[in-house]
C-alpha cells in the first residue's frame, strides 16, 4: 500500500479525543487550506466553515449533538454551513472575482454565466440546498484526507440537530445552515475504536470494472 492509503487505513472516526492535545497553528492552517482548495460545482463554493475553539460555545452545542464527547474534547470543532439561497448577485460576485483574479474581461465569462443561470439558479430551493450540501461533503472529504496525511485525528459527524446549531451559531441571519460538522484533534489512548479492524466492501463488491 502506498503512503497515502496507509494513512487512510490509519485514520478512523475518532470517538474519544485526548482533550489535553491541541493542533498546532501551522497544522490547523494546512487543514483549512485543504478545505479552501476543495473543488466545487462551477467553483461556486456555496458554503462557509466555522472553526470553533472556544470551550463555552462547544459546551452549548454539545447537547444538540447527542452529547457526543468529541464536540468538547477535540482540539477544534468545524462547522460546515451551506448557503440556503444562491441568487444572481452571488453568481455575479463570483464571476467578477474570476475576471479580477485572472485579469480577464468579464464578458469572456458570459458562457459560464449562462450555464450557471440555466442550472443552479434554476434549481428549486430544495434543489439548491441539496446541490450546496453536495459541495460541502467534498470539502469534508478533503479535510479528512488532509488530516490523515498529517496524522491528525478527525471525526465527521452528522449526529446533531441542524436547527439548534443554526440557532446557537446565529446562522439563519447569515443565510446559512449547518450541513455537517467535524471534530479534529488527537485520539485518546483509551479509545478502543482505534483498534477496530476496518470494515469496507471488498473490491469485487464495490467496483464494477467494465
Ligand atoms: C457524513 C458522516 C457522518 C458521521 N456521523 C458520525 C457521528 O455523528 N458520530 C460518530 O461517532 N461517527 C460518525 N461518523 C463516522 C462513521 O460511522 C465512520 O466513518 C464509519 O463507520 C467508517 O468507519 P471509520 O471512519 O472509522 O473507518 C460519520 C461519518 C460520516 C462520513
Amino acid at each position: 500500500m502506498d503512503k497515502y492509503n496507509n494513512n487512510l487505513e490509519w485514520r478512523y472516526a475518532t470517538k474519544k479525543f485526548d482533550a489535553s492535545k491541541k493542533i498546532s497553528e501551522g497544522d490547523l492552517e494546512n487543514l483549512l487550506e485543504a478545505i479552501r482548495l476543495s473543488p466545487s460545482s462551477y467553483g461556486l463554493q456555496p458554503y462557509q466553515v466555522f472553526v470553533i475553539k472556544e470551550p463555552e460555545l462547544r459546551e452549548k452545542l454539545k447537547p444538540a449533538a447527542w452529547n457526543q464527547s468529541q464536540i468538547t474534547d477535540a482540539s477544534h470543532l468545524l462547522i460546515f454551513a451551506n448557503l440556503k439561497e444562491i441568487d444572481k448577485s452571488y453568481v455575479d460576485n463570483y464571476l467578477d472575482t474570476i475576471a479580477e483574479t485572472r485579469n480577464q474581461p468579464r464578458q469572456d465569462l458570459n458562457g459560464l454565466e449562462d450555464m450557471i443561470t440555466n442550472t443552479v439558479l434554476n434549481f428549486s430551493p430544495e434543489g439548491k440546498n441539496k446541490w450546496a450540501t453536495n459541495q460541502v461533503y467534498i470539502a469534508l472529504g478533503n479535510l479528512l484526507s488532509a488530516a490523515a496525511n498529517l496524522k491528525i485525528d478527525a471525526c465527521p459527524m452528522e449526529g446533531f440537530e441542524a436547527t439548534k446549531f443554526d440557532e446557537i451559531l446565529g446562522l439563519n441571519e447569515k443565510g446559512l445552515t449547518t450541513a455537517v460538522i467535524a471534530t479534529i484533534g488527537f485520539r485518546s489512548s483509551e479509545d478502543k475504536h482505534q483498534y477496530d479492524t476496518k470494515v469496507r466492501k471488498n473490491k469485487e463488491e464495490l467496483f464494477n470494472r467494465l
Side-chain angles (χ1 to χ4, degrees):
M1 235 190 328
D2 71 356
K3 186 169 172 278
Y4 183 81
N5 284 341
N6 261 325
N7 288 335
L8 293 185
E9 173 73 39
W10 171 86
R11 67 147 296 280
Y12 74 109
T14 304
K15 307 291 175 196
K16 194 170 170 37
F17 283 89
D18 182 337
S20 70
K21 293 188 181 159
K22 304 291 173 208
I23 298 174
S24 71
E25 281 304 314
D27 281 346
L28 180 66
E29 288 313 309
N30 275 321
L31 295 179
L32 299 185
E33 186 65 356
I35 293 173
R36 194 180 76 86
L37 291 173
S38 297
S40 59
S41 174
Y42 298 114
L44 281 161
Q45 294 179 286
Y47 50 80
Q48 283 187 24
V49 182
F50 293 78
V51 184
I52 308 183
K53 216 159 91 171
E54 204 192 307
E56 294 79 27
L57 181 53
R58 290 203 266 158
E59 280 297 345
K60 247 197 226 172
L61 291 166
K62 193 176 176 181
W66 307 351
N67 278 315
Q68 296 186 78
S69 67
Q70 298 100 312
I71 301 289
T72 43
D73 290 349
S75 173
H76 293 77
L77 166 66
L78 302 190
I79 312 282
F80 291 81
N82 65 277
L83 284 173
K84 288 197 279 192
E85 170 64 304
I86 320 290
D87 58 15
K88 179 136 182 25
S89 76
Y90 182 82
V91 173
D92 280 343
N93 187 44
Y94 171 57
L95 295 168
D96 289 347
T97 305
I98 300 179
E100 207 180 293
T101 307
R102 296 186 173 155
N103 203 11
Q104 194 179 5
R106 173 65 175 76
Q107 75 219 31
D108 283 6
L109 301 168
N110 288 349
L112 176 61
E113 181 172 9
D114 287 347
M115 278 198 284
I116 298 174
T117 305
N118 293 327
T119 54
V120 180
L121 290 183
N122 252 339
F123 293 164
S124 65
E126 298 75 40
K128 280 181 182 168
N129 202 59
K130 162 95 175 47
W131 169 84
T133 309
N134 289 344
Q135 314 316 313
V136 165
Y137 277 80
I138 299 172
L140 174 72
N142 266 2
L143 166 72
L144 298 177
S145 305
N149 185 48
L150 292 172
K151 289 277 167 78
I152 289 172
D153 286 297
C155 188
M157 301 172 77
E158 275 179 337
F160 65 90
E161 294 168 74
T163 44
K164 289 198 180 150
F165 265 57
D166 293 352
E167 206 179 291
I168 294 167
L169 296 165
L171 298 189
N172 292 315
E173 297 78 359
K174 297 187 166 95
L176 294 163
T177 184
T178 311
V180 69
I181 63 176
T183 44
I184 51 175
F186 297 95
R187 64 187 68 178
S188 158
S189 58
E190 288 163 20
D191 189 355
K192 57 182 175 23
H193 294 283
Q194 64 190 290
Y195 307 112
D196 290 346
T197 306
K198 278 238 171 299
V199 179
R200 293 291 192 270
K201 289 181 177 177
N202 64 39
K203 285 186 174 167
E204 286 67 38
E205 287 173 305
L206 187 59
F207 301 112
N208 296 280
R209 302 176 198 251
L210 306 174

